[in-house]
Amino acid sequence: MSPSPVLPPPPVSVVGIGADGWSGLSGGAREALREAEVVIGGARQLDLLPPECAGVRVAWPSPLRPAVPRLLAEHRERRIAVLASGDPMFYGIGRALAEELGPESLRVLPHPSSVSYACARLGWPLEDTKVVTLVGRPASRLAVSLHEGRRLLALSADASTPAMVAALLTAHGFGPSRMRVLEQLGSEAEAYVEGVAESWAHAPGDRLNVIAIDCRASQDALRLGAVPGLPDEAYEHDGQLTKRHIRAATLGALAPAPGELLWDVGGGSGSIAIEWMRTHASCRAVSVERDPARAERIVRNADRLGVPGLKVVTGPAPSSLSELSELSELDVPDAVFIGGGLTAPGLLDACWEALRPGGRLVANTVTLESEALLAERYREYGGELTRLAVAHAVPVGGFTGWRQAMPVTQWSVRKPSASAPVPGDRT
């Protein structure tokens, strides 16, 4: 007698639920919850279910993400339903479940998200509204999205978030911005308060809230554009700063794309890594700086300019690069920028070796010794060798003349997709 086929476990139902609770669910969502043998969710969400949902109720522990594999494995042979706030696939638990089980093992039943409700109440087109989540993330990441006339929705971590956002807006020159805090969206207790960031005085309200921001800059606010080449005044530095025009050209050569990782070797003030990350929310970077004071300064610059996720490694290159390669979560770099220390033995070789096939390497220098090294590598491996020169108009007596900055030699090259020799290998 042949053995019975092993049936795959039933799909996990991921049910979005709003502040309106059971009454706001569709028929399909209610059926999935009634049939579930195990219902996993936050304590607040589980309390919204009626007695007819007879499955075992399991509250997520804190921290949540590490517990996902264990809880799913523990109940995998039973019919599982997971409760999520609003749309499970929009900054919700649906992402973690899809990564853990695969999309084919999920049955997602979304509910309108708080963002959809907020745009409906405000009359804002959803596709034109920037959304920034501050749930489990620093409020400083909002800074990268601040532009005159922009409409933002910030997903709050709790009742204290609106005051934090008001303070951040004011500190970044956006104190005149109008703020509206929308609470308990979709429920009978729905309410909102409004005011101006620089004079925000509302006491903390409900922890379930979304912050709508009409960005308005003060007259003396430093203008930060959406493309590389921020004003030099945007950075705290000790002179070790890739200046604005050279920085813009360097980022153009590095050509960041969504999801890519940069190693910024010889970080200085962190400007290259910071502006790499500002090009897209999914861009990642690691800045390597040997001087501890400068490394701390990079952290402050990254936080102030809206990319607190920048990783900073304090230590000399190339020895610290081997440590980066051992950190699997950092992955293989898609691009490497060398802003200093080119003549350190083995540095260029180590950067080339670490770079993924097809990745880009860009190196800048102002010294003759490093320039000779770049010229040698250019002859051997191609790419582009460029001299960048910038002059600024300055007073000359009662007239105006040009003051030339030190020219910068830049080598940019793409690593072949097929195997290629390491620079410096003459065998």
Side-chain angles (χ1 to χ4, degrees), residues 396-410:
V396 180
F399 300 93
T400 304
W402 294 106
R403 176 169 294 166
Q404 186 80 36
M406 291 184 69
V408 174
T409 299
Q410 180 181 95

Side-chain angles (χ1 to χ4, degrees), residues 134-156:
L134 304 182
V135 179
R137 297 168 174 85
S140 58
R141 67 193 306 268
L142 187 66
V144 75
S145 300
L146 299 180
H147 301 285
E148 173 67 31
R150 192 79 189 272
R151 290 171 169 174
L152 306 177
L153 286 178
L155 306 183
S156 284

Side-chain angles (χ1 to χ4, degrees), residues 16-20 24 85-87 110-117 185:
I17 191 168
D20 49 357
S85 296
D87 186 341
H111 185 277
S113 68
S114 59
V115 168
S116 294
Y117 275 122
L185 283 164

Side-chain angles (χ1 to χ4, degrees), residues 115-140:
V115 168
S116 294
Y117 275 122
C119 285
R121 303 296 185 263
L122 298 165
W124 289 2
L126 185 58
E127 68 272 18
D128 294 336
T129 303
K130 173 69 175 178
V131 180
V132 181
T133 180
L134 304 182
V135 179
R137 297 168 174 85
S140 58

